[in-house]
Amino acid sequence: MDINPNSSGKSPLTSTSSQVPEPAARRLIDRLNSQGNNEQVSISYKAQKLDLIRAEFFSSTIRSDQIPALTQRLFEDGLINSEQLQSLGGFSSTPVSAVSESVHFLNNFILNESVDGDTEGAKSLLSALEVIEQMNAPATAGRREQEKQALEFVGNYTEMLKETEAPADIIKGFEKVTEVLVTLNKVRSNEAKTGALASYASVEEAHKALYEDKPKQGNNSA
């Protein structure tokens, strides 16, 4: 599937390790840049994710207090679904955050072979995923450019999905990713004005105000 529309407790995503390894998305982007076309992006990506999980959680005997972080990681990495997450006790008291939901969707989309054979589309999607995973990082000029490109790509692709009448769950997933990227862009703009650094928590709070509270306000005013 060609996904390139231009072609013819702990905060989510926070590593439990003191040394944060290079994300799987960035590793695969670098590999695609160096090796060119890869017909089996999903296989390479899954192998890298499993290697990172093995190194972080299973280098020694896993402790009981690591289980919540492991289950959340498996969900965000697209390796288990929301029902399996709930059965393992993940997010038992609070709903899945918009950020975690978007990361899960993008990872699952890649792992389901949706970008196999489409190297440029895969790189664009992996770059968007990296933007969300790294939103806690300082906003350098290069990072801001990557964030803007990710928003443009995902927004264009979402519109293309609607035009081609893609499955509703896929459209809904990309709409959620677009919302998160739009929210991140707004938080970054505010960061430049006030100096308040963007974080998973600030993006989640802003997303709630932008997208989740509006229907409630509308109902109250009716």
Side-chain angles (χ1 to χ4, degrees):
M1 177 179 182
D2 187 346
I3 72 160
N4 191 342
N6 298 317
S7 69
S8 307
K10 282 192 173 224
S11 298
L13 319 175
T14 302
S15 173
T16 59
S17 170
S18 60
Q19 292 185 334
V20 180
E22 185 179 38
R26 172 47 51 187
R27 290 187 180 188
L28 189 51
I29 291 172
D30 291 342
R31 177 179 294 183
L32 291 172
N33 283 334
S34 63
Q35 297 181 358
N37 189 47
N38 187 332
E39 295 295 329
Q40 296 181 312
V41 170
S42 58
I43 295 176
S44 298
Y45 193 52
K46 185 174 185 178
Q48 289 185 17
K49 284 196 165 294
L50 291 174
D51 283 345
L52 289 172
I53 289 173
R54 188 180 301 110
E56 184 171 345
F57 293 96
F58 299 101
S59 58
S60 59
T61 303
I62 189 168
R63 305 187 310 274
S64 60
D65 63 349
Q66 291 179 294
I67 298 299
L70 173 59
T71 56
Q72 182 172 340
R73 177 70 167 275
L74 290 171
F75 172 74
E76 288 173 346
D77 280 0
L79 299 170
I80 61 174
N81 59 34
S82 57
E83 289 77 17
Q84 292 168 324
L85 174 69
Q86 292 293 341
S87 70
L88 292 171
F91 297 112
S92 57
S93 60
T94 57
V96 178
S97 71
V99 173
S100 290
E101 187 178 342
S102 296
V103 171
H104 165 79
F105 172 78
L106 288 176
N107 276 316
N108 187 256
F109 190 76
I110 297 169
L111 292 174
N112 282 339
E113 304 179 5
S114 300
V115 295
D116 283 8
D118 178 21
T119 300
E120 292 306 312
K123 287 193 291 186
S124 295
L125 190 56
L126 288 162
S127 182
L129 177 59
E130 183 183 32
V131 161
I132 299 176
E133 291 182 325
Q134 299 294 307
M135 64 173 63
N136 260 7
T140 63
R143 188 175 301 280
R144 284 296 288 135
E145 182 62 27
Q146 183 183 4
E147 290 170 353
K148 292 175 183 177
Q149 289 177 355
L151 175 56
E152 180 180 9
F153 172 79
V154 173
N156 288 342
Y157 186 59
T158 303
E159 291 305 311
M160 186 181 70
L161 286 173
K162 294 176 181 178
E163 292 173 3
T164 57
E165 299 182 350
D169 61 325
I170 298 298
I171 294 175
K172 182 179 179 180
F174 274 101
E175 285 178 335
K176 179 67 71 174
V177 174
T178 302
E179 289 178 5
V180 169
L181 291 171
V182 167
T183 304
L184 174 60
N185 188 55
K186 290 181 179 295
V187 171
R188 288 293 196 204
S189 297
N190 186 63
E191 175 182 294
K193 296 175 184 177
T194 66
L197 298 179
S199 66
Y200 302 127
S202 64
V203 171
E204 192 64 37
E205 181 179 357
H207 178 273
K208 186 175 185 295
L210 285 169
Y211 296 101
E212 298 178 25
D213 290 344
K214 283 186 177 181
K216 297 178 183 178
Q217 294 171 354
N219 291 337
N220 291 336
S221 63

